[in-house]
Amino acid sequence: MQVQRITLGAVYLALAALLSASLPARAAQAPQHPGALYIATEEAAPSSMRDASGRVVGIATDKVRAAMARAGVAYTIETLPWKRAYAAARERLDACVYSTTRTPEREALFKWVGPSDSAQWVLMARADRRIALASLEDARPYRIGTYRGDARDDYLRSRGFLVDTAPHDLINPQKLLLGRIDLWAASLRRGSMVLEHNGWKGRIVPVFTFSRQDVFLACNPGVPDAVIGRLNDAFAALGRDGTLKRIDRTYDNWAVQAGK
């Protein structure tokens, strides 16, 4: 019988391979800056977006940054697809996500800071369909495009509407134009230029606003209560001294600038 000899060097190589294979998973869970909050958001101009230098800015972003500075809380901000951003805040003890709709179903899942922004939930249709809705109930015969993990999907699905869920919200207007759905449940924030930027203006039109929602910075329950308290106090102070309104006004001409 032949006996295979295993050298010490071979053992080291095997251990090194195992360690290197596990590093990416561990690195993904580790904070980029120990002690700092990890904040995730999606690209949703003008609420959250990247400027020419790659820095995350926008109406809600600037308010979150101002609150962090006022509260003396260290942080990092990263843009991700919404589902990943939301999952990070659910899974990481040091994480928060914005702009998050505060629904009864989500209330106990997070600690809440804000509001940081507001949004209108609007049913959009192809202009040539000439769909007219007097109430949300009038939308029951129609197939409504939503996207996975979003509060609008939960809202409509729980009320028995016919929803067609996509993995990303901007797939829905394309499905709408192709006739695969009848309506798109969009969330339009102050100054939104999503139709203009994508060449959909005049082809896709709002037909009914079915809700107006404040949106928040939603933090993992592992974020200390003291930090949440300081951040909410900071938001309140920024409201009293007019900073939040000044940030809103900063973006009054954003639509004009973005259209250039």
Side-chain angles (χ1 to χ4, degrees), residues 170-191:
L170 291 187
I171 293 175
N172 284 309
Q174 300 171 47
K175 290 166 63 177
L176 188 65
L177 292 172
L178 291 171
R180 292 170 53 192
I181 56 175
D182 304 301
L183 298 167
W184 164 34
S187 178
L188 301 182
R189 298 191 182 105
R190 173 188 171 97

Side-chain angles (χ1 to χ4, degrees), residues 6 36 84 118 124 130 132 146 166 181 192 211 235 237:
I6 300 176
R84 286 177 56 197
S118 61
M124 312 286 284
R130 301 187 182 280
T146 60
I181 56 175
S192 174
S211 186
F235 262 99

Side-chain angles (χ1 to χ4, degrees), residues 63-244:
K63 291 176 182 178
V64 168
R65 289 188 184 279
M68 294 289 165
R70 179 71 65 97
V73 176
Y75 67 96
T76 61
I77 294 182
E78 183 177 12
T79 56
L80 297 169
W82 175 253
K83 189 176 179 182
R84 286 177 56 197
Y86 185 86
R90 289 295 314 279
E91 296 166 5
R92 288 182 54 153
L93 298 179
D94 63 342
C96 305
V97 59
Y98 72 96
S99 298
T100 310
T101 306
R102 189 172 183 171
T103 65
E105 296 79 11
R106 292 173 171 176
E107 183 66 31
L109 301 179
F110 298 103
K111 294 178 179 178
W112 299 90
V113 174
S116 59
D117 203 352
S118 61
Q120 293 184 338
W121 290 359
V122 183
L123 294 177
M124 312 286 284
R126 268 173 42 181
D128 60 359
R129 290 284 305 274
R130 301 187 182 280
I131 294 175
L133 304 177
S135 70
L136 183 59
E137 284 299 307
D138 291 343
R140 287 205 176 273
Y142 298 107
R143 184 178 295 274
I144 304 172
T146 60
Y147 78 104
R148 193 173 299 117
D150 181 67
R152 300 185 299 284
D153 179 71
D154 294 338
Y155 183 92
L156 294 169
R157 188 182 298 276
S158 67
R159 286 161 176 79
F161 286 87
L162 179 60
V163 298
D164 190 311
T165 307
H168 189 281
D169 197 29
L170 291 187
I171 293 175
N172 284 309
Q174 300 171 47
K175 290 166 63 177
L176 188 65
L177 292 172
L178 291 171
R180 292 170 53 192
I181 56 175
D182 304 301
L183 298 167
W184 164 34
S187 178
L188 301 182
R189 298 191 182 105
R190 173 188 171 97
S192 174
M193 294 283 289
V194 64
L195 297 180
E196 290 83 350
H197 284 175
N198 291 281
W200 299 325
K201 186 177 182 180
R203 302 171 66 197
I204 297 176
V205 296
V207 293
F208 186 73
T209 299
F210 63 98
S211 186
R212 290 175 173 82
Q213 298 281 341
D214 285 335
V215 289
F216 292 76
L217 178 70
C219 295
N220 186 283
V223 176
D225 288 342
V227 173
I228 299 298
R230 282 158 51 196
L231 288 172
N232 273 311
D233 288 347
F235 262 99
L238 293 168
R240 288 193 300 270
D241 68 16
T243 299
L244 299 183

Side-chain angles (χ1 to χ4, degrees), residues 41-49 56-64 98-99 116-119 189-192 215 251 254:
T41 188
E42 65 177 340
E43 290 278 351
S47 180
S48 50
M49 55 193 175
V56 185
V57 296
I59 296 171
T61 305
D62 291 358
K63 291 176 182 178
V64 168
Y98 72 96
S99 298
S116 59
D117 203 352
S118 61
R189 298 191 182 105
R190 173 188 171 97
S192 174
V215 289
Y251 289 85
W254 180 84

